[in-house]
Amino acid sequence: MTIADYPAVNKDVLSRRVRRWGALYQAEATLRSMRAYGGVILFASTFQPIMYILAMGLGLGVLVGAETDFSAYGADSYLMYIAPAILASTVAMTAGIEFTFPVMEGFKWRRKYYGAQATALTPPQIALGHILGVSCRFGLHALIFTAVLFAFGALSSPAALLMILSSTLGALAIGLPIMAYISSLRDEKGHAAIIQRFVIMPLFLFSGTFYPLTNLPQFLQVIGWVSPIWHANELGRVLAFGQPTDLWLVAVHIGYLSAIVVVAWFAVQRVFTRRLGYDEWRGRIPGLKADQRRQERQDAKAAATESYQRSEGVPPVAFRRGVGANYYSGNIRAVFSRGLTAIRNNRGIIFISGFLEPVLFLTSFGLGVSPMISGIEAADGGTISYAMFIAPALLAVSAMNGAVFDSTWNVFFKLKITKLYRTMMSTSLGPVDVAVGEIALALFRGGIYALGFLGVLVATGLVTPLPALLMWITALFIALGFACIGMAVTSFMKRFQQMDWMMMVLIPMFLFSATLFPIDVYPTGVQWVIQALPLWHGVELMRDIAFWDFGAMTLVHIGYYLVMVGVGGALAAYRMKALFLR
Amino acid sequence: MSISSALESSAPSDTAPAPAIDATSLVKEYGDFTAVDGITFSVRRGESFGLLGPNGAGKSTTMRMIAAVASRTEGQMLVAGLDPEQHGPEVRARLGVIPQQDNLDEELTVRENIIMYGRYFGLPRRYLRAKADELLEFAQLEHKANSRVEDLSGGMKRRLTIARALVNEPEVLLLDEPTTGLDPQARHVLWDRLFRLKESGTTLVLTTHHMDEAEQLCDRLVVVDHGAIMAEGTPAGLIREHSTREVLELRFGTDRNAEQAKTLEELLTGAGPDADFSHIEVLPDRLLVYAGQAESALEAIHAAGHKPMTSLVRRSSLEDVFLRLTGRSLID
Ligand SMILES: Nc1ncnc2c1ncn2[C@@H]1O[C@H](COP(=O)(O)OP(=O)(O)OP(=O)(O)O)[C@@H](O)[C@H]1O
Ligand SMILES: [Mg+2]
């Protein structure tokens, strides 16, 4: 008697059930793990559409609507025109996250898939389970989004509900190829960030979300044709307000998206089967050759400098006496140089990619929105081009984003995950050395990005060299202000989820702070709120310099940032021990 | 495992120089939980001092307070005459810290880890390049010098953490379970290094769960439990004080150990001064009969008709002291 024919019936039924429904079990596991940050997901799904509608639909819409008519597309207003596209785009952007980090987590960080592999689940079922689970999130997001759009009167047809399907299809078309790629990697070393910046960002920005794709020059339209987001956007517009479209084109949209999904699904299946099947393939290591070459170079260098003398007694260790000696030991340089070494050890492309974002934004909005707006009224009564209007703002935004990311997420990561600061604090470094060193590093990085972006602005004639130089210094100043506040805020942080909430502050700040349109489209009360926010002052300060038009307000902006540096710096210094000695 | 009388002669004397570490009534609270509950001790310069105790006793917490990376709730602490909370950098400049958990810099190579750590101490690169070579040799990691830290095995990481802590040639070395995860060979290399450091005047403060390690390395040690000191002394002194000269290990089978303990206790208490019986410790798999003359005790047991499955007579070790002082928390 073998095990197989013991309580034979039950085992057979059980394994047949797993074979048939296994993917659903895996999907349930995926959904359960999402519940941990369910609050953020629900909030984001509701909050995001409202923000976009208020900012782009109603804010930018005032400018665009005054000059451009969308009735040829079947839409009553600019808001109506962009609403379905924003839905499809935000779902697709979510896919860019859900198919990268959680997949890496499954294979490497927490090896969840290997747990599932030990059961009767097959590798394709595990993959399908993840896809199904994530699709539920897309569906929920799209459902809430659609409801909000109905509430704002941005949808005219009940067929709009079908957008839940079209946007999920678009998200899968962008997500599954990424899933196939990520799951073939042994380890994530900034690949997700590279995909985000070099693939998803361009596909999003040149997908005709905020304007008809035809506004762009021909060669950029090509990106749109390739982009699943454009196809999903166009489907959404057909469903939401019946944008006049040839039937064959609708078929092309659906066919293109489905074809990608099917092909990518086979690729995903193949990779999952290889990794979770019998041969237990451990995944590719891209850049391995480059790493090996680097190691050979270093070995050669080490061999050349072999003839060092044995050390004879240790030189004196650096520390200070006197005021603040408990906090500052005068060795910021070491912290800074550690950061440089780490950057050098990482792949250069990650570093470079930071400067790409503002350039892409400028290209997309400058070229795409300009045809719909004849110009923006300048302070001196003349008009300036839309690109000229947003360029200084994008520099300020980029300075803010970089500084906030470095002083919050990065600091928190080194505090909690890599424990780098614990290492530093077991040497003669003081907390101030560490904090200032990290801020200096953030400014260094931000300074290089700003330099690159300003180079583009000067080359395209959007800014002249002298203001550009002042703007560079201002970018560093803005970054310093945000970095000080960021450090102070981080000292109160306890969990990673709190970091997600911070994004909820940054996105609206970006959308409303006179970056993409002047704030006088809003009622006075709203304007006051915006004017109280730091980014608005940064944006306006940048514009004052770019247009060489200074006034009393310029001083107010500068003063605002001086206060930010002072208060943020003082609070961070006060919280120094809480930050590093926990 | 004999304890030489040489170690005993290094008992505290009145003419000692100012202590390397002087801790008085240390208390550390995490919320309502008291991790360290009034610990007082003092470590002379050049002494090798051990902190023993069961998991969660508060050893690492005490170490972190010495290293000025955890604040005290109450009590005084002087390291080389300075309060680490007031003079953090200056105190840490003299310290070498080997934490219980390796915290290497994963973004740097093995060699860069040592050099950068030295840079945090403000040491010049010229010195560090030579020192890194020396430390890599000590850690037997020359062939991995330019590898990423994540490519190292667990024991290699441990060795690197230890080597790194020596980069500033510290006056006081704090070692929190330094040999956990090391193979026997690496352990002996480390012990040898520690002996040499001690000879050259370095103060060592060590926690460990290996009693043989404590016996080998520590001049003096304290046993900590529930955040308080249970006993203090030299290894030999502690054995004399808290254990008998010899121990008889008996196995009666897992189920019968406990009931046999009672019978034997009665038997041996009545056996007269010959066996010099003290007490019985019940472990899950065996009984430890503490008696100055274990052979006589065994004879008495055999004479009474008890038949243990195995029996072994050995000298008392620090492990017996540890069980005696902290064993109760294992049983209840
Ligand atoms: N950061 C912290 N927050 C809350 N409790 C803590 C913290 N660190 C330690 N503890 C608690 O303090 C007690 C002592 O911990 P400690 O790490 O000092 O023990 P230990 O003696 O080093 O133990 P082990 O032998 O397991 O390393 C434990 O009960 C632990 O749970
Ligand atoms: Mg410990």
Side-chain angles (χ1 to χ4, degrees), chain B residues 14-37:
Chain B
D14 292 335
T15 56
I21 300 171
D22 197 5
T24 319
S25 318
L26 286 184
V27 175
K28 175 72 185 180
E29 285 167 6
Y30 292 109
D32 341 323
F33 177 73
T34 310
V36 174
D37 194 3

Side-chain angles (χ1 to χ4, degrees), chain B residues 59-60 100 176-177:
Chain B
K59 306 181 294 294
S60 299
Q100 187 171 356
D176 199 344
E177 301 188 23

Side-chain angles (χ1 to χ4, degrees), chain A residues 403-480:
Chain A
V404 169
F405 182 77
D406 275 341
S407 65
T408 59
W409 212 91
N410 255 349
V411 166
F412 201 67
F413 194 76
K414 291 176 187 166
L415 210 54
K416 288 275 172 177
I417 306 291
T418 69
K419 307 260 160 77
L420 174 66
Y421 298 140
R422 191 172 278 189
T423 308
M424 290 183 167
M425 293 312 298
S426 61
T427 69
S428 61
L429 288 173
V432 169
D433 300 86
V434 179
V436 176
E438 289 289 36
I439 289 181
L441 202 67
L443 293 189
F444 170 78
R445 194 199 308 255
I448 290 185
Y449 293 163
L451 206 61
F453 186 54
L454 281 165
V456 172
L457 295 189
V458 171
T460 50
L462 290 172
V463 177
T464 46
L466 180 63
L469 183 68
L470 266 184
M471 285 165 79
W472 184 69
I473 295 168
T474 309
L476 291 181
F477 184 46
I478 291 174
L480 180 64

Side-chain angles (χ1 to χ4, degrees), chain A residues 108 187 189 291 294-295 298-300 302 305-306 308-321 325-329 331 333-335 337-339 341-346 414 418-420 422-431 433 577 580-582, chain B residues 64 67-71 82-90 92-97 99 101 103-109 111-113 116-127 129-131 133-134 137 143-148 150-151 164 167-169:
Chain A
K108 161 98 186 169
D187 198 359
K189 296 221 173 94
D291 276 359
R294 184 171 158 277
Q295 171 143 3
Q298 288 208 349
D299 284 343
T305 53
E306 199 66 79
Y308 273 110
Q309 289 183 351
R310 274 294 126 93
S311 51
E312 291 282 331
V314 61
V317 169
F319 58 82
R320 289 168 56 253
R321 289 216 167 87
N326 195 22
Y327 292 90
Y328 174 57
S329 68
N331 195 5
R333 213 165 40 156
V335 179
S337 100
R338 184 262 159 206
T341 312
I343 289 176
R344 211 179 49 220
N345 284 353
N346 274 323
K414 291 176 187 166
T418 69
K419 307 260 160 77
L420 174 66
R422 191 172 278 189
T423 308
M424 290 183 167
M425 293 312 298
S426 61
T427 69
S428 61
L429 288 173
D433 300 86
K577 280 198 160 173
F580 292 118
L581 300 182
R582 26 179 134 186
Chain B
R64 302 236 316 272
V69 290
S71 57
L82 294 168
D83 181 346
E85 272 189 32
Q86 303 302 320
H87 305 271
E90 189 171 347
R92 291 193 300 261
R94 301 154 190 263
L95 296 183
V97 179
Q101 303 255 298
N103 52 357
L104 297 166
D105 193 331
E106 302 252 337
E107 286 185 283
L108 305 182
T109 64
R111 199 188 159 76
E112 284 166 351
N113 254 283
M116 264 307 153
Y117 200 73
R119 295 291 295 156
Y120 299 154
F121 283 104
L123 296 169
R125 277 186 191 274
R126 255 188 70 77
Y127 161 79
R129 275 195 287 263
K131 188 73 182 171
D133 285 343
E134 182 205 316
E137 193 184 312
H143 60 297
K144 292 279 186 185
N146 296 320
S147 311
R148 290 292 189 92
E150 58 195 338
D151 296 337
R164 194 181 64 170
V167 76
N168 60 329
E169 300 191 350

